[in-house]
């Protein structure tokens, strides 16, 4: 049984994180640290409330910390709780600054699985099946997109000072996908980013890569666009694989892959899984091989790609 500390009590915490944690038998207790003094009206009596930033030497020790604050505050929140948590998950992005990733203390904590940049879709069986298809077939083209309609205008996603923008919110998904495929080398064919005059953040983008002299990868993303959440694969023999709801998954999504080969279609059923529960269980059960995507080398490559894209943003 483990004790969990959640930093941040916003919409995402209440919609996704807390419901998933409450379903896990392995979770003994949940504490919430937040700046909101009205927080007690939003949680049950069984959850302990901690004021943000106030950690005493007598504070309980937590098996798992989860940071769910706006991105600009992620590493600051980590510094607040790192000494009272065995390990800390920070949902993407860890930061929006490549220089932060290269910090010596961060590098050590990443490699020791003390600090983890969490991308929940890597913990869904659908991801494992996609990788299996890529490794066991001769996939030569990948097209993927993650875009969402506009959100409430008071969201941090529209604030440059709070780490907003589409690149680090939606774009990190297709870019992390590409990064996980790179075994030896990559070449960027093109990058495009866009915004609109009334916004202070980027709103969409796309990247084209050649990966390991084999795969033509095209990834795109957007905020304030039609909803898209797919990966399409094409084999050298003409076979195709169409996959929806790869990155974010609505409740009770029955994941599947539609394969078309020689004119016939086949549905590969994956089933219903809660990728948030899977992610927390992997952390609780110390399945660190699953979190390999967050070790320093992988994270550094991911943020190098993100940095190359961010340099094209003109606001």
């Amino acid at each position: 049984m483990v004790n969990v500390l959640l930093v941040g009590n916003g919409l995402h915490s209440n919609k996704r994180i807390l419901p998933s944690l409450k379903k896990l038998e392995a979770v003994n207790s949940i504490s919430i640290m937040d700046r909101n003094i009205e927080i007690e009206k939003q949680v049950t009596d069984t959850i302990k409330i901690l004021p943000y930033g106030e950690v005493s030497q007598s504070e309980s020790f937590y098996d798992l910390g989860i940071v769910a604050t706006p991105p600009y505050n992620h590493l600051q929140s980590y510094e607040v709780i790192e000494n009272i948590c065995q390990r800390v998950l920070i949902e993407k992005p860890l930061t929006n600054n490549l220089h932060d990733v290269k910090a010596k203390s961060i590098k050590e904590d990443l490699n020791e699985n003390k600090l983890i940049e969490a991308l929940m879709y890597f913990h869904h069986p659908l991801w494992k099946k996609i990788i299996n298809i890529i490794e066991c077939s001769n996939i030569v083209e990948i097209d993927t997109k993650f875009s969402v309609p506009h959100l409430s205008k008071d969201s941090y996603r529209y604030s440059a000072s709070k780490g907003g923008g589409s690149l680090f919110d939606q774009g990190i998904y297709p870019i992390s996908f590409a990064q996980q495929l790179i075994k030896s080398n990559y070449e960027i064919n093109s990058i495009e980013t866009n915004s609109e005059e009334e916004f202070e953040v980027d709103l969409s983008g796309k990247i084209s890569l050649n990966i390991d002299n084999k795969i033509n990868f095209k990834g795109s993303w957007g905020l304030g666009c039609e909803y898209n959440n797919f990966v399409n694969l094409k084999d050298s023999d003409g076979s195709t694989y169409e996959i929806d709801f790869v990155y974010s998954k609505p409740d009770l999504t029955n994941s599947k892959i539609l394969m078309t080969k020689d004119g016939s279609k086949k549905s590969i059923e994956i089933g219903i899984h809660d990728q948030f529960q899977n992610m927390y269980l992997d952390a609780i059960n110390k399945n660190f091989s699953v979190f390999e995507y967050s070790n320093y080398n992988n994270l550094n490559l991911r943020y190098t790609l993100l940095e190359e894209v961010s340099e094209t943003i003109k606001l």
Side-chain angles (χ1 to χ4, degrees), residues 279-307:
M279 180 171 66
Y280 301 139
L281 280 174
D282 283 333
I284 290 169
N285 295 329
K286 302 179 182 180
N287 294 331
F288 296 133
S289 61
V290 181
F291 288 102
E292 184 179 355
Y293 66 83
S294 187
N295 67 29
Y296 176 75
N297 287 336
N298 281 323
L299 195 76
N300 186 53
L301 176 55
R302 182 151 67 247
Y303 275 81
T304 297
L305 285 169
L306 287 164
E307 189 79 3

PDB file of all heavy atoms in Angstrom, residues 279-307:
ATOM      1  N   MET A 279      -0.408   3.876 -15.754  1.00  0.00           N
ATOM      2  CA  MET A 279       0.787   4.684 -15.513  1.00  0.00           C
ATOM      3  C   MET A 279       1.123   4.725 -14.022  1.00  0.00           C
ATOM      4  O   MET A 279       2.290   4.556 -13.629  1.00  0.00           O
ATOM      5  CB  MET A 279       0.574   6.096 -16.052  1.00  0.00           C
ATOM      6  CG  MET A 279       1.745   7.031 -15.867  1.00  0.00           C
ATOM      7  SD  MET A 279       1.501   8.602 -16.765  1.00  0.00           S
ATOM      8  CE  MET A 279       0.102   9.304 -15.847  1.00  0.00           C
ATOM      9  N   TYR A 280       0.116   4.952 -13.189  1.00  0.00           N
ATOM     10  CA  TYR A 280       0.376   5.019 -11.748  1.00  0.00           C
ATOM     11  C   TYR A 280       0.785   3.657 -11.195  1.00  0.00           C
ATOM     12  O   TYR A 280       1.668   3.573 -10.329  1.00  0.00           O
ATOM     13  CB  TYR A 280      -0.857   5.544 -11.021  1.00  0.00           C
ATOM     14  CG  TYR A 280      -1.268   6.929 -11.500  1.00  0.00           C
ATOM     15  CD1 TYR A 280      -2.606   7.267 -11.684  1.00  0.00           C
ATOM     16  CD2 TYR A 280      -0.309   7.893 -11.797  1.00  0.00           C
ATOM     17  CE1 TYR A 280      -2.973   8.520 -12.150  1.00  0.00           C
ATOM     18  CE2 TYR A 280      -0.666   9.149 -12.257  1.00  0.00           C
ATOM     19  CZ  TYR A 280      -2.005   9.449 -12.439  1.00  0.00           C
ATOM     20  OH  TYR A 280      -2.364  10.689 -12.902  1.00  0.00           O
ATOM     21  N   LEU A 281       0.192   2.603 -11.714  1.00  0.00           N
ATOM     22  CA  LEU A 281       0.580   1.259 -11.265  1.00  0.00           C
ATOM     23  C   LEU A 281       2.008   0.935 -11.680  1.00  0.00           C
ATOM     24  O   LEU A 281       2.747   0.306 -10.920  1.00  0.00           O
ATOM     25  CB  LEU A 281      -0.385   0.213 -11.827  1.00  0.00           C
ATOM     26  CG  LEU A 281      -1.710   0.064 -11.093  1.00  0.00           C
ATOM     27  CD1 LEU A 281      -2.626  -0.904 -11.831  1.00  0.00           C
ATOM     28  CD2 LEU A 281      -1.489  -0.427  -9.656  1.00  0.00           C
ATOM     29  N   ASP A 282       2.401   1.360 -12.871  1.00  0.00           N
ATOM     30  CA  ASP A 282       3.782   1.120 -13.296  1.00  0.00           C
ATOM     31  C   ASP A 282       4.754   1.832 -12.359  1.00  0.00           C
ATOM     32  O   ASP A 282       5.827   1.303 -12.043  1.00  0.00           O
ATOM     33  CB  ASP A 282       3.987   1.612 -14.729  1.00  0.00           C
ATOM     34  CG  ASP A 282       3.401   0.654 -15.761  1.00  0.00           C
ATOM     35  OD1 ASP A 282       3.314  -0.546 -15.463  1.00  0.00           O
ATOM     36  OD2 ASP A 282       3.038   1.112 -16.863  1.00  0.00           O
ATOM     37  N   ALA A 283       4.391   3.031 -11.901  1.00  0.00           N
ATOM     38  CA  ALA A 283       5.244   3.753 -10.956  1.00  0.00           C
ATOM     39  C   ALA A 283       5.238   3.082  -9.590  1.00  0.00           C
ATOM     40  O   ALA A 283       6.291   2.908  -8.963  1.00  0.00           O
ATOM     41  CB  ALA A 283       4.785   5.203 -10.834  1.00  0.00           C
ATOM     42  N   ILE A 284       4.059   2.708  -9.129  1.00  0.00           N
ATOM     43  CA  ILE A 284       3.936   2.068  -7.818  1.00  0.00           C
ATOM     44  C   ILE A 284       4.675   0.734  -7.782  1.00  0.00           C
ATOM     45  O   ILE A 284       5.359   0.402  -6.808  1.00  0.00           O
ATOM     46  CB  ILE A 284       2.442   1.863  -7.473  1.00  0.00           C
ATOM     47  CG1 ILE A 284       1.777   3.223  -7.199  1.00  0.00           C
ATOM     48  CG2 ILE A 284       2.284   0.927  -6.277  1.00  0.00           C
ATOM     49  CD1 ILE A 284       0.267   3.155  -7.116  1.00  0.00           C
ATOM     50  N   ASN A 285       4.554  -0.038  -8.881  1.00  0.00           N
ATOM     51  CA  ASN A 285       5.172  -1.374  -8.942  1.00  0.00           C
ATOM     52  C   ASN A 285       6.616  -1.346  -9.429  1.00  0.00           C
ATOM     53  O   ASN A 285       7.228  -2.392  -9.636  1.00  0.00           O
ATOM     54  CB  ASN A 285       4.343  -2.285  -9.847  1.00  0.00           C
ATOM     55  CG  ASN A 285       2.956  -2.556  -9.300  1.00  0.00           C
ATOM     56  OD1 ASN A 285       2.757  -2.588  -8.085  1.00  0.00           O
ATOM     57  ND2 ASN A 285       1.993  -2.747 -10.185  1.00  0.00           N
ATOM     58  N   LYS A 286       7.147  -0.121  -9.632  1.00  0.00           N
ATOM     59  CA  LYS A 286       8.536   0.073 -10.030  1.00  0.00           C
ATOM     60  C   LYS A 286       8.869  -0.622 -11.345  1.00  0.00           C
ATOM     61  O   LYS A 286       9.950  -1.234 -11.498  1.00  0.00           O
ATOM     62  CB  LYS A 286       9.483  -0.401  -8.916  1.00  0.00           C
ATOM     63  CG  LYS A 286       9.257   0.313  -7.585  1.00  0.00           C
ATOM     64  CD  LYS A 286      10.192  -0.180  -6.490  1.00  0.00           C
ATOM     65  CE  LYS A 286       9.900   0.523  -5.175  1.00  0.00           C
ATOM     66  NZ  LYS A 286      10.780   0.071  -4.077  1.00  0.00           N
ATOM     67  N   ASN A 287       7.937  -0.537 -12.292  1.00  0.00           N
ATOM     68  CA  ASN A 287       8.177  -1.067 -13.635  1.00  0.00           C
ATOM     69  C   ASN A 287       8.954  -0.028 -14.442  1.00  0.00           C
ATOM     70  O   ASN A 287       8.448   0.581 -15.380  1.00  0.00           O
ATOM     71  CB  ASN A 287       6.839  -1.400 -14.320  1.00  0.00           C
ATOM     72  CG  ASN A 287       6.103  -2.535 -13.637  1.00  0.00           C
ATOM     73  OD1 ASN A 287       6.727  -3.408 -13.040  1.00  0.00           O
ATOM     74  ND2 ASN A 287       4.791  -2.520 -13.731  1.00  0.00           N
ATOM     75  N   PHE A 288      10.198   0.160 -14.066  1.00  0.00           N
ATOM     76  CA  PHE A 288      10.967   1.263 -14.625  1.00  0.00           C
ATOM     77  C   PHE A 288      11.303   1.070 -16.097  1.00  0.00           C
ATOM     78  O   PHE A 288      11.590   2.040 -16.804  1.00  0.00           O
ATOM     79  CB  PHE A 288      12.237   1.490 -13.811  1.00  0.00           C
ATOM     80  CG  PHE A 288      11.966   1.914 -12.401  1.00  0.00           C
ATOM     81  CD1 PHE A 288      12.620   1.327 -11.339  1.00  0.00           C
ATOM     82  CD2 PHE A 288      11.034   2.913 -12.132  1.00  0.00           C
ATOM     83  CE1 PHE A 288      12.365   1.722 -10.029  1.00  0.00           C
ATOM     84  CE2 PHE A 288      10.770   3.312 -10.828  1.00  0.00           C
ATOM     85  CZ  PHE A 288      11.432   2.716  -9.786  1.00  0.00           C
ATOM     86  N   SER A 289      11.281  -0.178 -16.576  1.00  0.00           N
ATOM     87  CA  SER A 289      11.556  -0.388 -17.998  1.00  0.00           C
ATOM     88  C   SER A 289      10.502   0.304 -18.862  1.00  0.00           C
ATOM     89  O   SER A 289      10.789   0.755 -19.970  1.00  0.00           O
ATOM     90  CB  SER A 289      11.590  -1.890 -18.317  1.00  0.00           C
ATOM     91  OG  SER A 289      10.338  -2.499 -18.036  1.00  0.00           O
ATOM     92  N   VAL A 290       9.283   0.414 -18.329  1.00  0.00           N
ATOM     93  CA  VAL A 290       8.211   1.084 -19.063  1.00  0.00           C
ATOM     94  C   VAL A 290       8.496   2.579 -19.160  1.00  0.00           C
ATOM     95  O   VAL A 290       8.100   3.236 -20.124  1.00  0.00           O
ATOM     96  CB  VAL A 290       6.846   0.843 -18.380  1.00  0.00           C
ATOM     97  CG1 VAL A 290       5.720   1.515 -19.160  1.00  0.00           C
ATOM     98  CG2 VAL A 290       6.582  -0.644 -18.231  1.00  0.00           C
ATOM     99  N   PHE A 291       9.181   3.112 -18.154  1.00  0.00           N
ATOM    100  CA  PHE A 291       9.485   4.544 -18.121  1.00  0.00           C
ATOM    101  C   PHE A 291      10.808   4.884 -18.812  1.00  0.00           C
ATOM    102  O   PHE A 291      11.341   5.971 -18.635  1.00  0.00           O
ATOM    103  CB  PHE A 291       9.529   5.041 -16.678  1.00  0.00           C
ATOM    104  CG  PHE A 291       8.192   5.119 -16.007  1.00  0.00           C
ATOM    105  CD1 PHE A 291       7.788   4.146 -15.114  1.00  0.00           C
ATOM    106  CD2 PHE A 291       7.325   6.166 -16.289  1.00  0.00           C
ATOM    107  CE1 PHE A 291       6.553   4.226 -14.487  1.00  0.00           C
ATOM    108  CE2 PHE A 291       6.089   6.260 -15.674  1.00  0.00           C
ATOM    109  CZ  PHE A 291       5.701   5.285 -14.780  1.00  0.00           C
ATOM    110  N   GLU A 292      11.315   3.962 -19.596  1.00  0.00           N
ATOM    111  CA  GLU A 292      12.570   4.221 -20.300  1.00  0.00           C
ATOM    112  C   GLU A 292      12.478   5.475 -21.161  1.00  0.00           C
ATOM    113  O   GLU A 292      13.477   6.176 -21.379  1.00  0.00           O
ATOM    114  CB  GLU A 292      12.946   3.019 -21.169  1.00  0.00           C
ATOM    115  CG  GLU A 292      14.294   3.166 -21.856  1.00  0.00           C
ATOM    116  CD  GLU A 292      14.656   1.956 -22.700  1.00  0.00           C
ATOM    117  OE1 GLU A 292      13.902   0.963 -22.671  1.00  0.00           O
ATOM    118  OE2 GLU A 292      15.682   2.020 -23.397  1.00  0.00           O
ATOM    119  N   TYR A 293      11.276   5.769 -21.639  1.00  0.00           N
ATOM    120  CA  TYR A 293      11.099   6.963 -22.467  1.00  0.00           C
ATOM    121  C   TYR A 293      11.439   8.251 -21.720  1.00  0.00           C
ATOM    122  O   TYR A 293      11.616   9.309 -22.318  1.00  0.00           O
ATOM    123  CB  TYR A 293       9.663   7.039 -22.993  1.00  0.00           C
ATOM    124  CG  TYR A 293       8.594   7.249 -21.934  1.00  0.00           C
ATOM    125  CD1 TYR A 293       8.287   8.521 -21.451  1.00  0.00           C
ATOM    126  CD2 TYR A 293       7.866   6.179 -21.423  1.00  0.00           C
ATOM    127  CE1 TYR A 293       7.308   8.721 -20.487  1.00  0.00           C
ATOM    128  CE2 TYR A 293       6.881   6.365 -20.464  1.00  0.00           C
ATOM    129  CZ  TYR A 293       6.602   7.634 -20.000  1.00  0.00           C
ATOM    130  OH  TYR A 293       5.630   7.836 -19.047  1.00  0.00           O
ATOM    131  N   SER A 294      11.538   8.177 -20.383  1.00  0.00           N
ATOM    132  CA  SER A 294      11.814   9.365 -19.581  1.00  0.00           C
ATOM    133  C   SER A 294      13.249   9.419 -19.057  1.00  0.00           C
ATOM    134  O   SER A 294      13.579  10.312 -18.289  1.00  0.00           O
ATOM    135  CB  SER A 294      10.834   9.445 -18.400  1.00  0.00           C
ATOM    136  OG  SER A 294      10.987  10.666 -17.702  1.00  0.00           O
ATOM    137  N   ASN A 295      14.103   8.459 -19.447  1.00  0.00           N
ATOM    138  CA  ASN A 295      15.481   8.570 -18.991  1.00  0.00           C
ATOM    139  C   ASN A 295      16.147   9.765 -19.674  1.00  0.00           C
ATOM    140  O   ASN A 295      15.608  10.339 -20.621  1.00  0.00           O
ATOM    141  CB  ASN A 295      16.269   7.272 -19.200  1.00  0.00           C
ATOM    142  CG  ASN A 295      16.488   6.925 -20.667  1.00  0.00           C
ATOM    143  OD1 ASN A 295      16.554   7.807 -21.527  1.00  0.00           O
ATOM    144  ND2 ASN A 295      16.590   5.637 -20.959  1.00  0.00           N
ATOM    145  N   TYR A 296      17.303  10.143 -19.209  1.00  0.00           N
ATOM    146  CA  TYR A 296      17.900  11.398 -19.665  1.00  0.00           C
ATOM    147  C   TYR A 296      18.129  11.430 -21.175  1.00  0.00           C
ATOM    148  O   TYR A 296      17.823  12.421 -21.837  1.00  0.00           O
ATOM    149  CB  TYR A 296      19.213  11.677 -18.939  1.00  0.00           C
ATOM    150  CG  TYR A 296      19.890  12.915 -19.475  1.00  0.00           C
ATOM    151  CD1 TYR A 296      19.413  14.185 -19.144  1.00  0.00           C
ATOM    152  CD2 TYR A 296      20.972  12.820 -20.355  1.00  0.00           C
ATOM    153  CE1 TYR A 296      19.998  15.324 -19.662  1.00  0.00           C
ATOM    154  CE2 TYR A 296      21.555  13.967 -20.874  1.00  0.00           C
ATOM    155  CZ  TYR A 296      21.064  15.205 -20.523  1.00  0.00           C
ATOM    156  OH  TYR A 296      21.635  16.334 -21.044  1.00  0.00           O
ATOM    157  N   ASN A 297      18.672  10.357 -21.726  1.00  0.00           N
ATOM    158  CA  ASN A 297      18.991  10.367 -23.156  1.00  0.00           C
ATOM    159  C   ASN A 297      17.736  10.535 -24.009  1.00  0.00           C
ATOM    160  O   ASN A 297      17.725  11.304 -24.981  1.00  0.00           O
ATOM    161  CB  ASN A 297      19.724   9.086 -23.548  1.00  0.00           C
ATOM    162  CG  ASN A 297      21.155   9.068 -23.033  1.00  0.00           C
ATOM    163  OD1 ASN A 297      21.746  10.117 -22.777  1.00  0.00           O
ATOM    164  ND2 ASN A 297      21.714   7.879 -22.869  1.00  0.00           N
ATOM    165  N   ASN A 298      16.686   9.817 -23.660  1.00  0.00           N
ATOM    166  CA  ASN A 298      15.438   9.942 -24.417  1.00  0.00           C
ATOM    167  C   ASN A 298      14.819  11.323 -24.229  1.00  0.00           C
ATOM    168  O   ASN A 298      14.329  11.931 -25.175  1.00  0.00           O
ATOM    169  CB  ASN A 298      14.448   8.857 -23.996  1.00  0.00           C
ATOM    170  CG  ASN A 298      14.759   7.515 -24.620  1.00  0.00           C
ATOM    171  OD1 ASN A 298      15.188   7.431 -25.766  1.00  0.00           O
ATOM    172  ND2 ASN A 298      14.549   6.440 -23.875  1.00  0.00           N
ATOM    173  N   LEU A 299      14.833  11.792 -23.002  1.00  0.00           N
ATOM    174  CA  LEU A 299      14.247  13.103 -22.723  1.00  0.00           C
ATOM    175  C   LEU A 299      15.032  14.212 -23.429  1.00  0.00           C
ATOM    176  O   LEU A 299      14.442  15.147 -23.994  1.00  0.00           O
ATOM    177  CB  LEU A 299      14.225  13.359 -21.215  1.00  0.00           C
ATOM    178  CG  LEU A 299      13.328  14.508 -20.763  1.00  0.00           C
ATOM    179  CD1 LEU A 299      11.867  14.089 -20.807  1.00  0.00           C
ATOM    180  CD2 LEU A 299      13.675  14.960 -19.354  1.00  0.00           C
ATOM    181  N   ASN A 300      16.350  14.089 -23.438  1.00  0.00           N
ATOM    182  CA  ASN A 300      17.179  15.088 -24.086  1.00  0.00           C
ATOM    183  C   ASN A 300      16.900  15.140 -25.590  1.00  0.00           C
ATOM    184  O   ASN A 300      16.805  16.219 -26.185  1.00  0.00           O
ATOM    185  CB  ASN A 300      18.655  14.783 -23.836  1.00  0.00           C
ATOM    186  CG  ASN A 300      19.564  15.871 -24.372  1.00  0.00           C
ATOM    187  OD1 ASN A 300      19.411  17.055 -24.068  1.00  0.00           O
ATOM    188  ND2 ASN A 300      20.532  15.474 -25.183  1.00  0.00           N
ATOM    189  N   LEU A 301      16.745  13.973 -26.217  1.00  0.00           N
ATOM    190  CA  LEU A 301      16.428  13.936 -27.641  1.00  0.00           C
ATOM    191  C   LEU A 301      15.046  14.519 -27.903  1.00  0.00           C
ATOM    192  O   LEU A 301      14.843  15.278 -28.862  1.00  0.00           O
ATOM    193  CB  LEU A 301      16.503  12.498 -28.157  1.00  0.00           C
ATOM    194  CG  LEU A 301      16.109  12.273 -29.627  1.00  0.00           C
ATOM    195  CD1 LEU A 301      16.917  13.171 -30.554  1.00  0.00           C
ATOM    196  CD2 LEU A 301      16.289  10.804 -30.006  1.00  0.00           C
ATOM    197  N   ARG A 302      14.094  14.178 -27.037  1.00  0.00           N
ATOM    198  CA  ARG A 302      12.729  14.698 -27.194  1.00  0.00           C
ATOM    199  C   ARG A 302      12.722  16.228 -27.128  1.00  0.00           C
ATOM    200  O   ARG A 302      12.096  16.902 -27.950  1.00  0.00           O
ATOM    201  CB  ARG A 302      11.835  14.108 -26.106  1.00  0.00           C
ATOM    202  CG  ARG A 302      10.394  14.519 -26.180  1.00  0.00           C
ATOM    203  CD  ARG A 302       9.473  13.459 -25.603  1.00  0.00           C
ATOM    204  NE  ARG A 302       9.601  13.241 -24.185  1.00  0.00           N
ATOM    205  CZ  ARG A 302      10.074  12.105 -23.648  1.00  0.00           C
ATOM    206  NH1 ARG A 302      10.487  11.115 -24.410  1.00  0.00           N
ATOM    207  NH2 ARG A 302      10.134  11.962 -22.338  1.00  0.00           N
ATOM    208  N   TYR A 303      13.453  16.770 -26.167  1.00  0.00           N
ATOM    209  CA  TYR A 303      13.456  18.222 -26.000  1.00  0.00           C
ATOM    210  C   TYR A 303      14.332  18.919 -27.032  1.00  0.00           C
ATOM    211  O   TYR A 303      14.124  20.088 -27.338  1.00  0.00           O
ATOM    212  CB  TYR A 303      13.849  18.590 -24.568  1.00  0.00           C
ATOM    213  CG  TYR A 303      12.644  18.552 -23.658  1.00  0.00           C
ATOM    214  CD1 TYR A 303      12.177  17.341 -23.147  1.00  0.00           C
ATOM    215  CD2 TYR A 303      11.923  19.698 -23.369  1.00  0.00           C
ATOM    216  CE1 TYR A 303      11.048  17.286 -22.355  1.00  0.00           C
ATOM    217  CE2 TYR A 303      10.798  19.654 -22.574  1.00  0.00           C
ATOM    218  CZ  TYR A 303      10.361  18.445 -22.065  1.00  0.00           C
ATOM    219  OH  TYR A 303       9.229  18.395 -21.291  1.00  0.00           O
ATOM    220  N   THR A 304      15.284  18.206 -27.589  1.00  0.00           N
ATOM    221  CA  THR A 304      16.041  18.772 -28.703  1.00  0.00           C
ATOM    222  C   THR A 304      15.122  18.966 -29.905  1.00  0.00           C
ATOM    223  O   THR A 304      15.153  20.005 -30.572  1.00  0.00           O
ATOM    224  CB  THR A 304      17.216  17.852 -29.076  1.00  0.00           C
ATOM    225  OG1 THR A 304      18.116  17.770 -27.961  1.00  0.00           O
ATOM    226  CG2 THR A 304      17.968  18.387 -30.281  1.00  0.00           C
ATOM    227  N   LEU A 305      14.267  17.981 -30.178  1.00  0.00           N
ATOM    228  CA  LEU A 305      13.280  18.109 -31.251  1.00  0.00           C
ATOM    229  C   LEU A 305      12.306  19.239 -30.953  1.00  0.00           C
ATOM    230  O   LEU A 305      11.990  20.055 -31.823  1.00  0.00           O
ATOM    231  CB  LEU A 305      12.524  16.791 -31.429  1.00  0.00           C
ATOM    232  CG  LEU A 305      13.271  15.656 -32.120  1.00  0.00           C
ATOM    233  CD1 LEU A 305      12.496  14.346 -31.967  1.00  0.00           C
ATOM    234  CD2 LEU A 305      13.501  15.959 -33.588  1.00  0.00           C
ATOM    235  N   LEU A 306      11.817  19.294 -29.718  1.00  0.00           N
ATOM    236  CA  LEU A 306      10.887  20.358 -29.335  1.00  0.00           C
ATOM    237  C   LEU A 306      11.528  21.733 -29.482  1.00  0.00           C
ATOM    238  O   LEU A 306      10.892  22.691 -29.936  1.00  0.00           O
ATOM    239  CB  LEU A 306      10.421  20.143 -27.888  1.00  0.00           C
ATOM    240  CG  LEU A 306       9.434  18.998 -27.662  1.00  0.00           C
ATOM    241  CD1 LEU A 306       9.352  18.644 -26.179  1.00  0.00           C
ATOM    242  CD2 LEU A 306       8.051  19.359 -28.186  1.00  0.00           C
ATOM    243  N   GLU A 307      12.802  21.823 -29.114  1.00  0.00           N
ATOM    244  CA  GLU A 307      13.513  23.098 -29.214  1.00  0.00           C
ATOM    245  C   GLU A 307      13.677  23.521 -30.673  1.00  0.00           C
ATOM    246  O   GLU A 307      13.537  24.706 -31.008  1.00  0.00           O
ATOM    247  CB  GLU A 307      14.888  22.975 -28.554  1.00  0.00           C
ATOM    248  CG  GLU A 307      15.636  24.281 -28.395  1.00  0.00           C
ATOM    249  CD  GLU A 307      15.144  25.088 -27.221  1.00  0.00           C
ATOM    250  OE1 GLU A 307      14.251  24.620 -26.484  1.00  0.00           O
ATOM    251  OE2 GLU A 307      15.642  26.217 -27.040  1.00  0.00           O
TER     252      GLU A 307
END
